[in-house]
Amino acid sequence: MKRTHHCSQLRASDQGSTVTLCGWVDSVRDHGGILFVDLRDREGLTQIVLDPANQGLESQFGSIKPESVIAVSGKVEARFGGTANAKLATGEIEVHASELEILNVSKTPPFPMDDSADKVSEDLRMTHRYLDLRRATNTKMLRMRHATSRAIRNYMDDQAFIEIETPMLFKSTPEGAREFLVPSRMNPGAFYALPQSPQQYKQMLMVGGVERYYQLARCFRDEDLRADRQPEFTQVDIELSFIDREDMYELIEGLMKRVWKDVIDVDIETPFLRMSYYDAMNRFGVDKPDMRFGLELVDCCEIFKASSFKVFSGAIKSGGAVKAFNAKGLADLTQGELRSLEDSAKALGAKGLAFIKCEGGEWKSPIVKFFSDEEKAALSELLQIEDGDIVFFAASEWERACTILGRVRLDAAQLLVKRGKLTIDPNDYKFLWVIEFPLMLFDEDEGRFVSSHHPFTSPVPEDIPLLDSDPKAVRGQHYDLVLNGVELGGGSIRIHQPALQKKVFEDVLKIPADVVESRFGYMLKAFEYGAPPHGGIAFGLDRMVTILTQRTSIRDVIAFPKNQKGQEMMTASPGIATEKQLRDLHIKAVLPKKES
Amino acid sequence: MKRTHHCSQLRASDQGSTVTLCGWVDSVRDHGGILFVDLRDREGLTQIVLDPANQGLESQFGSIKPESVIAVSGKVEARFGGTANAKLATGEIEVHASELEILNVSKTPPFPMDDSADKVSEDLRMTHRYLDLRRATNTKMLRMRHATSRAIRNYMDDQAFIEIETPMLFKSTPEGAREFLVPSRMNPGAFYALPQSPQQYKQMLMVGGVERYYQLARCFRDEDLRADRQPEFTQVDIELSFIDREDMYELIEGLMKRVWKDVIDVDIETPFLRMSYYDAMNRFGVDKPDMRFGLELVDCCEIFKASSFKVFSGAIKSGGAVKAFNAKGLADLTQGELRSLEDSAKALGAKGLAFIKCEGGEWKSPIVKFFSDEEKAALSELLQIEDGDIVFFAASEWERACTILGRVRLDAAQLLVKRGKLTIDPNDYKFLWVIEFPLMLFDEDEGRFVSSHHPFTSPVPEDIPLLDSDPKAVRGQHYDLVLNGVELGGGSIRIHQPALQKKVFEDVLKIPADVVESRFGYMLKAFEYGAPPHGGIAFGLDRMVTILTQRTSIRDVIAFPKNQKGQEMMTASPGIATEKQLRDLHIKAVLPKKES
């Protein structure tokens, strides 16, 4: 029995024709011995009528169970008047079966096959991922993920980019996250590393004259998976030559426009907003601000620099800042909610969370008694404090004060959303370029500068002289693309001059010369043979699809994700290797001692 | 200086316009102090004229060296009469530079940047792969590889397939090649394996209701790289539900038609020839016959079954065969060539290589004295022996006899090509389906049957009863796609019935029940929840591109290939891991003892 149609295809105009459908039993109802089956395939549902009066069918009725696979031939008939289902594309017709083949019988699934399964334990769903993937929400996700990759490739192809596959068996690199290692059988004692990104290879492709490269590349990070991370993820990796930052912005804005249009038919506005790292931190307390709502941080240093409230004036005097924001309308927060905001602040190093609650025309606050009338008036003016508001403060060094309030701002926004006092529209796409990051940060533990992104990022040309005199003032030609509080991707114009790259490695980052040679020697050498000016960017495909499908986690948009222990439950991966395998690879397992 | 045009873009009609070009100095000639530079970018060449009379240019002349990167602005002018270069797209014009920027100076490359570099040591080219990739032959390869992937994706998308990414961190599977292992930090003592193919995941996607899946998937095999193999390679992986073998042939023939048309503008004929495994072996001595030439093997058992030449008649009596083929016109082969053919035969288990050379009307052969006149006459008739021919024989069990002559046939064909007596046209694409493979082979060493492809292949339905009574007679629903002697890919209709799959694992292949449970338990379980009938196929993308680009090795069509020791020379991968990395991964390196 050969399928003639999909289950979403038949219409009233097909009445009278004989068809064959295949698929899964979505549901079955017995009306006086006649079975009404909703047959489901990838495309949709069709109602099948199985009448025991038809010779031979009834003997198979016992196998018509939800999720069984069947093939059915029969005639397309109009449904009886009044039984048509307007919600279903095929709701005007049904197929009266004359032939039936049971292709496979299903046991009863361990969880419901509709949206209510979202509430089932994730482990149970992942163990039976082949069932979970049959649910409409996941079918849709797989299609949208494919549509996203396709839109990206179509755009990049139109822009004359060449997709090039770079090695997965790479070598260990220093900076960045922890790596997965792969022992080499043919080179005893040597290890491949799975790439964290194709960064070095794509730069070599630029030296190789490719000019415009992209790749949807699998990348790997062996990090603890507390946040929304996966040990393997997919990166949209892009690099091009003879361009500057403006070219990059235009290219990527075009890419996003194309993806949003092709995948969810949304027109996004270009050019995107741009904001310096300093402004992002100063106004939103984070380098990936969600621009869909305000609650901006303001600087209160002018007001408090001579305050008798020493917690504030002291912070300012020692070079720090007093920041605040008005969580407009949140004065009715509960004690529990307040405590939870305070916990967020403390987790980021705050000693507490100072606030002023304005209720019934009165400022309720443990600290307001320390403020002078002028300070109160100035605050009221600066923060537009009205009845029903609550203002939060942070006094610390500038970056920490910003970060603390940035976190409290996000939490407070969620509380306002819960109360219906703030709307954060998931269909509102506020793209933002965050630019002008510092090239380096001083690492107190290591007592040296480290790259804020990676050591290949080019300094802003006019800042190059500062590399020697004031490294922390050097801005990098780095750019992050942020969407609704999520960092979609980032990149930079790279260093292409061998002498400058060597200087950054050795003089600025203080990487020992022998390490530079063993890790990056080939890059420095390559740059001596005509490296063009170049730059690139990389996006997390998983995050992009998570946003496009309005799911909550990247786990939701990966066909076979791993759990927080790095395990894929369905196949029970990772598994055990044999002694012989390990011997061949010149390694031995060294198990941690059991805790007593 | 911002690029306005590519180096292949300017024409006579652009005369008088001011342009900016960027790229690499392909060559430089000094004519009386004026420099003529062929400037090269990804798209082509343009002649640049640098006149020292232009203020400021001459001071930079020292940096105008081959492979240096420069940007040039100037006016497009017609070349002087007679100096136009008809071979070059931009040969009518040149750009008279008014501005010049040296973007990077190149040292002298360690090998020539043209086709003569093909003769340079591969290690040297691979160490400087960023230079090697700039050569026209490699630029073209990268583009054609991209065009191939693109044609494949376009076709699959048109056919309603969904590309789905499956995990790279999988678990160890039993049958098949040696695997790369990845120790798990979070699961001490456990290992991921890099997938040899997405076989099991794609079958789970079918159980998951995806119906039509494909993926250009990176796959891994830790094999010794003697043949044309790479530890990582790219597979075009396809699986679909509710289909039979005929559907598969039609789908894949359409795919090949599209790829050959899109990439090299060749119309290939469909449907493809089909041949059983038995016929392929019997007629060509190999399961991937090159159909571009004849020299077919013939069966001589009828002639020799009662021969007094015991080597032949004995082989037949003990159930074997005597096979022969006429290497038409190769009687003039040298002693060295003959010896080399003999070596090929011996490497496959032949004791020697019997032959009859026909020269000057005479049969010259060490064995012909044992033949009767009837035998000679019958041979002459059967093999159409003429003056100038040489006939080769193999007498052994059937499969070995075929295999030996299959090898000699290929070698002999090369000798005939060298003499101009045979043409094997690289532009002739003879596709062939090889079908009806035996489902299993008896492994003498292990004393049990092993899958000839993999244990998921479905038997031909009418042969299922033979699984118990005569396993080796069971044909599998397997198909290989062969092109010009190369196996492009293969696949099968799979088993989807849990009971049959369990029977194959346990009763036929005799895999112990606990191994079945730990390796495949989840598949057997999945099949109990409504697995649809399904089948698939996988192609080697690298091999396909090797043929399309008419290169000789898959190493030639991979951006950063590994050498025969599994090393990537440019980055010196694999490399050394730190003690801390190994400790974190719960492993220890165990180096082989040094040979004394």
Side-chain angles (χ1 to χ4, degrees), chain A residues 3-51:
Chain A
R3 169 191 265 172
T4 60
H5 292 77
H6 267 294
C7 287
S8 71
Q9 219 171 343
L10 297 170
R11 296 290 180 276
S13 58
D14 294 301
Q15 269 180 72
S17 54
T18 299
V19 301
T20 300
L21 303 179
C22 306
W24 288 262
V25 173
D26 196 65
S27 64
V28 52
R29 297 174 307 280
D30 185 331
H31 288 300
I34 297 178
L35 296 190
F36 289 80
V37 169
D38 273 348
L39 186 66
R40 185 192 71 232
D41 68 10
R42 198 182 78 167
E43 305 296 335
L45 288 177
T46 298
Q47 179 162 293
I48 310 291
V49 182
L50 293 161
D51 190 333

Side-chain angles (χ1 to χ4, degrees), chain A residues 2-3 6 22 24 41-42 67 69 103-108 128 130 133-134 143 145-146 150 153 157 160-172 178-179 181-183 185-192 201 204-205 207-212 214 218 220 222-224 232 234 242 244 247 496 522 525-526 528-532 541 559-560 562 564-568 570-575 577 581-582 586-592, chain B residues 2-3 6 22 24 41-42 67 69 103-108 128 130 133-134 143 145-146 150 153 157 160-172 178-179 181-183 185-192 201 204-205 207-212 214 218 220 222-224 232 234 242 244 247 496 522 525-526 528-532 541 559-560 562 565-568 570-575 577 581-582 586-592:
Chain A
K2 198 122 183 166
R3 169 191 265 172
H6 267 294
C22 306
W24 288 262
D41 68 10
R42 198 182 78 167
E67 299 310 318
V69 186
L103 297 169
N104 230 338
V105 181
S106 179
K107 300 207 298 197
T108 303
H128 303 82
Y130 42 85
L133 285 175
R134 280 186 211 160
R143 286 183 184 227
R145 187 177 175 115
H146 176 54
R150 194 174 160 167
R153 286 199 165 95
D157 292 351
F161 282 77
I162 303 179
E163 185 165 19
I164 297 174
E165 297 167 71
T166 54
M168 295 274 148
L169 296 170
F170 182 42
K171 74 166 183 178
S172 198
R178 217 189 257 117
E179 296 169 315
L181 295 185
V182 184
R185 181 177 54 86
M186 284 197 272
N187 302 276
F191 292 80
Y192 300 101
Y201 281 116
M204 289 304 99
L205 288 172
V207 183
V210 167
E211 294 195 25
R212 302 194 140 217
Y214 81 101
R218 197 71 61 87
F220 303 85
D222 186 13
E223 290 176 298
D224 294 317
E232 49 180 315
T234 302
F242 302 116
D244 60 22
D247 299 308
H496 68 282
Y522 78 95
K525 196 166 148 201
E528 290 177 344
Y529 287 102
L541 179 66
F560 300 101
K562 293 189 173 61
Q564 303 225 325
K565 281 187 161 166
Q567 298 157 339
E568 193 269 277
M570 184 184 73
T571 62
S573 158
Q581 282 179 298
L582 300 189
H586 321 289
I587 58 168
K588 219 168 107 175
V590 184
L591 295 188
Chain B
K2 198 122 181 166
R3 171 192 262 173
H6 268 294
C22 306
W24 288 261
D41 68 11
R42 198 182 78 168
E67 300 310 320
V69 186
L103 296 170
N104 230 339
V105 181
S106 178
K107 299 208 298 198
T108 303
H128 302 82
Y130 43 84
L133 285 175
R134 280 186 211 159
R143 285 182 183 229
R145 185 175 176 116
H146 176 54
R150 195 175 159 163
R153 286 199 165 95
D157 292 350
F161 282 78
I162 303 179
E163 185 164 21
I164 297 174
E165 298 168 71
T166 54
M168 294 274 147
L169 295 170
F170 183 42
K171 75 166 183 178
S172 198
R178 215 189 258 120
E179 296 169 315
L181 295 186
V182 184
R185 180 176 56 85
M186 283 197 273
N187 302 277
F191 292 81
Y192 300 101
Y201 281 115
M204 288 304 99
L205 288 173
V207 182
V210 168
E211 294 195 26
R212 304 194 138 215
Y214 81 101
R218 197 70 61 85
F220 302 85
D222 186 13
E223 290 177 298
D224 294 317
E232 49 179 314
T234 303
F242 303 115
D244 60 22
D247 299 308
H496 69 282
Y522 78 94
K525 196 166 148 202
E528 290 178 344
Y529 288 102
L541 179 67
F560 300 101
K562 294 189 173 61
K565 281 187 162 167
Q567 298 157 338
E568 193 268 277
M570 184 184 73
T571 63
S573 159
Q581 281 179 300
L582 301 189
H586 320 290
I587 58 168
K588 219 169 109 175
V590 184
L591 295 188

Side-chain angles (χ1 to χ4, degrees), chain A residues 106-155:
Chain A
S106 179
K107 300 207 298 197
T108 303
F111 51 82
M113 298 295 289
D114 56 28
D115 282 352
S116 66
D118 286 338
K119 286 166 212 143
V120 166
S121 109
E122 195 169 6
D123 276 3
L124 184 69
R125 284 194 291 110
M126 289 304 158
T127 305
H128 303 82
R129 183 65 167 166
Y130 42 85
L131 285 171
D132 197 33
L133 285 175
R134 280 186 211 160
R135 300 192 302 128
T137 179
N138 286 325
T139 309
K140 189 178 155 199
M141 173 278 287
L142 290 175
R143 286 183 184 227
M144 285 179 73
R145 187 177 175 115
H146 176 54
T148 306
S149 307
R150 194 174 160 167
I152 292 167
R153 286 199 165 95
N154 286 343
Y155 178 83

